[in-house]
Amino acid sequence: MRRVWLLATNVVREQRWFLLVMFAYITGITGMMLFAGDGREDDVLAVFKQVAAYGTFFSVVIAASLIQTDRKSRQIIAVLSKAVTRREYIAGMIGGVNLSTASYQAAVFASLFVLFRHAPIQTAVVMMLHLLVASLLVSVVTILFTTFLHPLLATGAAGMVLAAPIALEKMGWTWWARAMPAVALIKHALSFTLEQPLAVESGVLTLALAECVALWLLAGWIFERRDVTLAVE
Amino acid sequence: MGNDAALRFDGVTKEYRGFLGRTPVPALDKFSLTVERGEIFGFLGPNGAGKTTAIHIAMGFMKPTRGAGQMLEKGFGHAATRARVGFLAENVALVHRPAESAVRYYGALNGLRGVTLTKRTREMLELLELEDVVRRNVAKLSRGMLQRAGLAQALVNDPELLVLDEPTSALDPLGRVAVRELLLRAKAAGKTVFLSSHMLSEIELICDRIAILVRGRVARVGKTNELLESRDEAEVVFSGASGAAFPEAVLENEMLRVTVPKSAQRATIEKVWAAGGEVVKVNPARRSLEGLFVSLANQAGPGATVQKPGAAR
């Protein structure tokens, strides 16, 4: 567990400039909405929801290139020459992405109370919980594909898998649409209002977390069978 | 194959697959080798002979196409065993942190904690003479300094087995001497050192045994002294005889030395006596490691090196 934590915090350390830019972005957009929102609560809320949803997008962006960067820079050799299993390495990468996303979402959370002083805390917490689990699932799916695909292809493949439920739902295959609940979690999180409390979708959350564990194990299994010191192009 | 082997390759074959799996190129071909505990083992070969591939397979970075092996009595790639191994890659790449923090990070990944981690980190930075750059980011270190930092991270866990791929390639002569002494101290402490290097003089000086790898196979393996002794020639050292009778003799420390085929050894000694000289010593002729290396590489022909498609250099 300690090794996973070390790897994860190292990812956050390497992403620190990106995160600082994101914090500056949240600060900037919060300030803009605060002073230029002009009392249009619905418009401000819509922009806020958009900013909150970006967190899951950042998960993909950060996750897509982590393994490739480590392999290209050869830093992976020094890490895997230690008592680190491939599964721990993958867990460290997932942990790093989600610590980064969580810090972004923490800033979004703070922004909500700056913009809406009367925002119900229960609703905010439930919204964040759903967004964080969605980010976790998104990052696990992306990292799974990066264990055997180029980051660009992995991003595409992850996008297709994560967005598949939208198409499946339109085709009437609602049961299959629930199988990959990232979009459902984001939709539910962003359906919050300042008036109504947001329900905890415990079934969907449990399914998402179970899928994260299964896909992490699968990613570890695949990565265990890969040569890590070959050129990655 | 004793149980004391620190490292053992059993018929390991590694093929690099070309694009879409076409034309596999062999990098290692039924490669077998045993490194005993407590020895310094030199691993030599021309560029592309498969040395780094063999090392990467042993460390678990790659899977062999066929065959298997053991490191400290566990199969290749066993993560917990790597806590007892120190590894330095040919091209060192470390996390971009201050040198002390980087060494600490790798020590912690190997399970060191608290006071032990702090103590070992400081000792290694001191041993590798990095005290002045502990706060400098490793990305800003010179190549020689980076190699020292690489050695520090390899040694921080006090490993039983050291696997070093070109550990002195970027070091100045003083640095090389320091590393040589460090390896000899490690051996004296009972550690095993598996050393790949092109510094043949260095290998000749410190290695108990060497293996020369050509085209993914072991072309020669044995004790360094025995490999460098010629089975076909002898050296006769004598004094008191006129050099005119031995035009091919070399004068060394007021004595003459002549290298002759083993079959002519007795006749040469009698010739020295007949010339009124005295034979001081007769030894098997010793060739240089460079000579042996070059002859083995040449025997394998001009294509002695194997090019790996897209392989990490």
Side-chain angles (χ1 to χ4, degrees):
Chain A
M1 198 62 198
R2 185 172 145 80
R3 290 186 187 101
V4 174
W5 174 252
L6 284 165
L7 291 165
T9 48
N10 189 57
V11 171
V12 177
R13 193 179 186 282
E14 284 172 3
Q15 300 294 333
R16 63 191 183 279
W17 297 114
F18 177 72
L19 285 172
L20 275 175
V21 171
M22 288 300 108
F23 291 150
Y25 166 72
I26 293 167
T27 309
I29 202 137
T30 305
M32 213 168 73
M33 288 192 286
L34 194 64
F35 296 110
D38 212 14
R40 289 170 296 180
E41 202 169 76
D42 287 351
D43 291 348
V44 172
L45 194 60
V47 175
F48 170 81
K49 284 180 179 181
Q50 207 173 14
V51 173
Y54 285 163
T56 45
F57 173 69
F58 294 144
S59 281
V60 179
V61 173
I62 299 172
S65 59
L66 277 182
I67 296 177
Q68 161 105 343
T69 306
D70 244 12
R71 288 179 73 187
K72 278 188 110 169
S73 68
R74 294 167 189 276
Q75 289 181 12
I76 196 169
I77 292 178
V79 170
L80 292 181
S81 72
K82 307 302 172 205
V84 177
T85 63
R86 301 280 179 100
R87 194 177 286 171
E88 283 174 331
Y89 176 80
I90 295 289
M93 297 301 108
I94 294 168
V97 173
N98 286 282
L99 279 177
S100 305
T101 312
S103 53
Y104 173 86
Q105 296 292 19
V108 170
F109 189 78
S111 157
L112 178 69
F113 290 99
V114 172
L115 293 170
F116 307 101
R117 287 173 206 283
H118 60 284
I121 192 150
Q122 184 272 349
T123 300
V125 169
V126 172
M127 177 195 69
M128 280 297 144
L129 176 69
H130 285 73
L131 284 177
L132 288 174
V133 174
S135 294
L136 177 64
L137 184 56
V138 163
S139 65
V140 176
V141 170
T142 309
I143 284 180
L144 167 68
F145 283 114
T146 62
T147 57
F148 58 94
L149 286 177
H150 183 278
L152 278 176
L153 293 174
T155 307
M160 281 170 70
V161 168
L162 292 163
I166 300 170
L168 291 171
E169 211 165 359
K170 283 195 173 155
M171 289 157 74
W173 298 351
T174 44
W175 192 91
W176 286 105
R178 285 184 203 134
M180 181 50 68
V183 173
L185 284 168
I186 297 167
K187 269 185 174 175
H188 180 71
L190 299 185
S191 70
F192 87 95
T193 62
L194 297 171
E195 293 80 28
Q196 296 286 322
L198 191 65
V200 178
E201 291 273 8
S202 52
V204 184
L205 286 172
T206 309
L207 175 66
L209 290 171
E211 284 183 2
C212 286
V213 174
L215 295 174
W216 160 59
L217 292 173
L218 178 63
W221 186 84
I222 293 170
F223 198 51
E224 183 73 40
R225 279 147 189 81
R226 302 275 299 162
D227 290 348
V228 293
T229 52
L230 286 176
V232 287
E233 285 81 10
Chain B
M1 307 277 171
N3 287 333
D4 279 350
L7 188 59
R8 202 173 77 207
F9 295 86
D10 292 330
V12 171
T13 295
K14 178 68 184 177
E15 289 169 351
Y16 291 104
R17 303 244 162 227
F19 184 61
L20 295 176
R22 284 179 293 176
T23 56
V25 181
L28 288 175
D29 184 13
K30 294 174 193 137
F31 169 68
S32 294
L33 185 71
T34 303
V35 179
E36 303 294 343
R37 282 185 192 255
E39 67 178 348
I40 302 184
F41 194 98
F43 194 43
L44 308 176
N47 288 332
K51 302 185 299 293
T52 299
T53 299
I55 290 172
H56 284 189
I57 286 173
M59 292 302 298
F61 306 146
M62 287 181 184
K63 302 283 171 201
T65 310
R66 283 180 293 281
Q70 291 196 327
M71 181 184 262
L72 299 175
E73 287 154 34
K74 296 281 180 188
F76 288 159
H78 187 256
T81 302
R82 289 199 294 265
R84 295 151 59 201
V85 177
F87 173 70
L88 177 71
E90 187 180 358
N91 296 305
V92 188
L94 306 176
V95 285
H96 291 179
R97 292 174 175 224
E100 185 173 9
S101 170
V103 175
R104 271 188 77 87
Y105 174 69
Y106 291 114
L109 283 179
N110 254 341
L112 297 182
R113 286 181 185 213
V115 181
T116 314
L117 177 59
T118 306
K119 186 169 165 274
R120 285 293 302 171
T121 302
R122 291 207 179 132
E123 278 174 5
M124 288 308 106
L125 292 167
E126 201 176 311
L127 185 69
L128 275 306
E129 295 173 4
L130 290 165
E131 306 102 308
D132 296 339
V133 294
V134 288
R135 294 192 199 291
R136 195 183 301 170
N137 195 303
V138 293
K140 291 176 183 166
L141 294 178
S142 68
R143 205 167 155 236
M145 286 286 191
L146 181 62
Q147 195 147 32
R148 285 166 192 259
L151 274 165
Q153 66 79 32
L155 293 164
V156 70
N157 54 325
D158 193 19
E160 289 171 44
L161 168 64
L162 267 168
V163 179
L164 308 173
D165 197 357
E166 300 284 352
T168 56
S169 58
L171 299 182
D172 59 25
L174 289 175
R176 280 182 204 157
V177 172
V179 170
R180 205 185 302 152
E181 284 170 359
L182 190 149
L183 298 182
L184 289 170
R185 276 205 301 275
K187 187 200 167 191
K191 322 253 185 226
T192 310
V193 180
F194 185 68
L195 171 67
S196 165
S197 175
H198 287 302
M199 306 282 177
L200 300 181
S201 56
E202 191 174 270
I203 293 273
E204 201 172 334
L205 272 173
I206 63 168
C207 289
D208 302 304
R209 290 200 305 144
I210 55 174
I212 300 177
L213 190 69
V214 180
R215 285 190 167 189
R217 282 180 172 234
V218 176
R220 199 64 61 87
V221 63
K223 289 186 177 170
T224 312
N225 280 334
E226 289 173 9
L227 284 180
L228 299 182
E229 280 174 3
S230 170
R231 289 175 191 154
D232 307 325
E233 290 182 315
E235 261 182 14
V236 180
V237 180
F238 57 95
S239 62
S242 163
F246 300 93
E248 72 279 23
V250 179
L251 184 64
E252 262 182 17
N253 299 330
E254 297 175 0
M255 283 185 272
L256 289 163
R257 178 172 55 84
V258 64
T259 305
V260 295
K262 275 270 169 74
S263 55
Q265 181 182 313
R266 187 183 178 88
T268 306
I269 292 168
E270 285 171 353
K271 194 176 167 187
V272 170
W273 288 336
E278 190 180 336
V279 175
V280 178
K281 59 182 175 182
V282 180
N283 285 330
R286 191 177 163 87
R287 54 190 161 175
S288 68
L289 183 54
E290 189 176 76
L292 176 66
F293 182 92
V294 170
S295 75
L296 286 171
N298 285 342
Q299 276 170 28
T305 61
V306 176
Q307 295 304 321
K308 294 168 270 187
R313 282 178 203 92

